[in-house]
């Protein structure tokens, strides 16, 4: 049987933008793995009338309703009360849950007096399955009524994730007769419209599996998804489509089911037992940060220099002053010298040099804002890309780091630099 799910996130803080609704994303990912489709995400504030309306709407278009938030002890935590009323259920106090809440305060919060309103969290709709909370005081619950499966989870992300995996997932897995499996195909060097143009015929002709594009700054991701009785059958359905995508897009695909471009590059460096060092100007250490955010980076990343001032370029990296005087700090020769200097001085296999104009000021007619030179110094040659990355400062810095990583990836993969 095919199921449709609506996730209702409850909390005025979500509507105000004070908190990002990561719960809906996390739950959707887990449901996909169970073969259960998510059709709607709804966010509603801590208002009983609007929550009641949201539940009524969800009942008209989904057979699984999952709520997050509103299970705490305060006056505005009304999720159980509203959901119970919507389905004609009485709230019943559970002595054992009340005892667990008292024990939680005694063991984990010594010295904090438990107020009696915390025991509101021990009331549940009659006949429900209680979902224990291993990370907080607010249990969740699940029940079936009027043809709908209703699951209530707490709002704090750590509690929500833990309860979903330990309680809601076993409950829901019994409802699914299929698995939904996806592969994420990561692309750098081709824009969304160009990717779609090349794959339009393929994407439009697919039903199961499906192929859909997603974009983030400077990158495109294709999600290939199949629904089948089991993983093996889903993989069989996806295999020919994956091959066709790889044949069509070729070397702009930097990875499949990998977290990021920097993760791809770090893996290649480790596989080749090579090291890298960075010299950054306009990116201000962003490339170094992205690499060192990854566990195990110390085996490949030796260090970096943020050479914002010209004196730092000359004193620490050995960039000759006459190169800067003759060509400007933002130039091909200076980027080369930065990459070669950091490679030599840190003793790395590869050196990266990035220099550019991130704006909003500093541009000229010859070198407008967004002009960036990225250099890769290798044991046998130095490569340079001249880029024009627009006028947004964040975009310029992010894409400059992207290009630096892509240069390393292509070199280690034996790919030629793309024409400029």
């Amino acid at each position: 049987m095919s199921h449709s799910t609506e996730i209702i996130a409850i909390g005025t803080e979500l509507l105000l933008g004070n908190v990002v609704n990561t719960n809906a994303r996390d739950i959707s990912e887990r449901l996909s793995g169970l073969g259960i489709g998510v059709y709607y995400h709804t966010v509603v504030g801590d208002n009983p009338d609007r929550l009641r309306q949201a539940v009524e709407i969800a009942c008209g278009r989904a057979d699984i309703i999952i709520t997050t938030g509103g299970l705490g002890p305060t006056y505005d935590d009304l999720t159980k009360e509203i959901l119970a009323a919507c389905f004609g259920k009485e709230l019943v106090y559970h002595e054992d849950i009340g005892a667990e809440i008292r024990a939680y305060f005694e063991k984990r919060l010594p010295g904090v007096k438990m107020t009696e309103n915390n025991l509101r969290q021990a009331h549940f709709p009659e006949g429900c399955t209680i979902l224990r909370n291993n990370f907080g005081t607010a249990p969740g619950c699940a029940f079936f009524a009027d043809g709908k499966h209703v699951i209530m989870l707490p709002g704090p992300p750590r509690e929500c994730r833990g309860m979903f995996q330990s309680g809601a997932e076993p409950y829901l897995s019994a409802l699914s007769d299929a698995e939904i499996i996806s592969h994420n195909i990561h692309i750098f060097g081709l824009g969304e419209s160009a990717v779609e143009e090349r794959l339009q015929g393929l994407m439009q002709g697919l039903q199961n599996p499906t192929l859909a594009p997603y974009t983030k700054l400077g990158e495109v991701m294709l999600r290939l998804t199949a629904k089948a009785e089991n993983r093996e059958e889903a993989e069989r359905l996806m295999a020919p489509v994956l091959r066709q995508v790889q044949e069509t897009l070729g070397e702009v695909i930097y990875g499949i089911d990998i977290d990021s471009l920097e993760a791809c590059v770090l893996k290649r460096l480790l596989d080749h037992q090579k090291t890298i060092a960075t010299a950054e100007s306009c990116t201000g250490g962003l490339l170094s940060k992205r690499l060192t955010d990854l566990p195990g980076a110390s085996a490949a990343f030796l260090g970096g220099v943020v050479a914002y001032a010209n004196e730092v370029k000359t004193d620490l990296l050995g960039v000759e002053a006459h190169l800067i005087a003759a060509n400007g700090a933002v130039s091909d020769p200076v980027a080369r010298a930065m990459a070669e200097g950091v490679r030599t001085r840190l003793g790395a296999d590869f050196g990266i040099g990035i220099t550019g104009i991130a704006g909003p000021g500093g541009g000229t007619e010859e070198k407008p804002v967004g002009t960036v030179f990225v250099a890769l110094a290798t044991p046998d040659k130095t490569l340079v890309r001249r880029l024009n990355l627009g006028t947004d400062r964040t975009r310029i810095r992010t894409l400059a780091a992207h290009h630096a990583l892509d240069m390393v990836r292509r070199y280690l993969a034996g790919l030629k630099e793309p024409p400029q």
Side-chain angles (χ1 to χ4, degrees), residues 14-182:
L14 299 172
L15 293 174
L16 295 175
N18 301 132
V19 176
V20 177
N21 183 18
T22 59
N23 287 336
R25 177 202 63 198
D26 294 342
I27 293 170
S28 293
E29 288 180 347
R30 304 291 297 192
L31 287 173
S32 177
L34 295 174
I36 296 174
V38 177
Y39 288 15
Y40 304 98
H41 284 184
T42 297
V43 179
V44 62
D46 297 305
N47 179 283
D49 291 334
R50 288 193 285 273
L51 175 55
R52 187 177 295 106
Q53 291 171 10
V55 173
E56 291 171 355
I57 292 170
C59 286
R61 61 190 187 184
D63 66 323
I64 298 175
I65 300 169
I66 300 176
T67 67
T68 66
L71 300 183
T74 59
Y75 73 94
D76 57 348
D77 291 313
L78 298 172
T79 299
K80 282 184 291 189
E81 287 84 346
I82 299 301
L83 270 291
C86 286
F87 288 92
K89 289 182 171 289
E90 296 291 331
L91 287 177
V92 178
Y93 181 74
H94 287 246
E95 293 283 355
D96 56 332
I97 300 300
E100 289 179 10
I101 293 172
R102 293 183 187 278
Y104 181 93
F105 274 86
E106 292 172 1
K107 293 178 181 179
R108 300 197 187 186
L109 301 172
V112 177
K113 182 181 179 181
M114 189 198 82
T115 55
E116 288 302 306
N117 59 349
N118 280 278
L119 295 178
R120 289 184 60 207
Q121 298 169 116
H123 287 84
F124 296 91
E126 56 185 336
C128 73
T129 298
I130 296 174
L131 307 179
R132 254 60 178 188
N133 189 338
N134 296 320
F135 302 100
T137 62
C141 63
F143 63 81
F144 180 75
D146 301 336
K148 312 294 178 183
H149 293 276
V150 180
I151 297 174
M152 290 177 256
L153 303 172
R158 182 166 176 258
E159 298 179 31
C160 183
R161 284 193 302 269
M163 187 180 295
F164 187 88
Q165 292 175 26
S166 65
E169 196 163 305
Y171 178 93
L172 291 167
S173 61
L175 308 181
S176 178
D177 56 1
E179 286 193 50
I180 299 175
I181 305 298
S182 295

Side-chain angles (χ1 to χ4, degrees), residues 272-340:
H272 287 79
Q273 296 184 322
K274 300 297 183 182
T275 58
I276 193 169
T278 60
E280 303 180 63
S281 182
C282 65
T283 47
L286 176 61
L287 177 58
S288 299
K289 177 192 179 300
R290 287 173 59 174
L291 286 168
T292 56
D293 278 344
L294 302 173
S298 60
F301 180 74
L302 299 187
V305 176
V306 178
Y308 229 56
N310 289 341
E311 293 79 10
V312 178
K313 294 179 178 69
T314 57
D315 294 346
L316 295 185
L317 299 174
V319 179
E320 296 182 3
H322 73 85
L323 286 178
I324 299 175
N327 302 282
V330 179
S331 62
D332 180 308
V334 171
R336 287 177 184 271
M338 290 171 64
E340 292 166 358

Side-chain angles (χ1 to χ4, degrees), residues 185 190 235 247 322 397 416:
I185 306 164
L190 204 62
E235 295 287 3
E247 290 169 1
H322 73 85
R397 287 156 54 91
K416 293 182 179 180

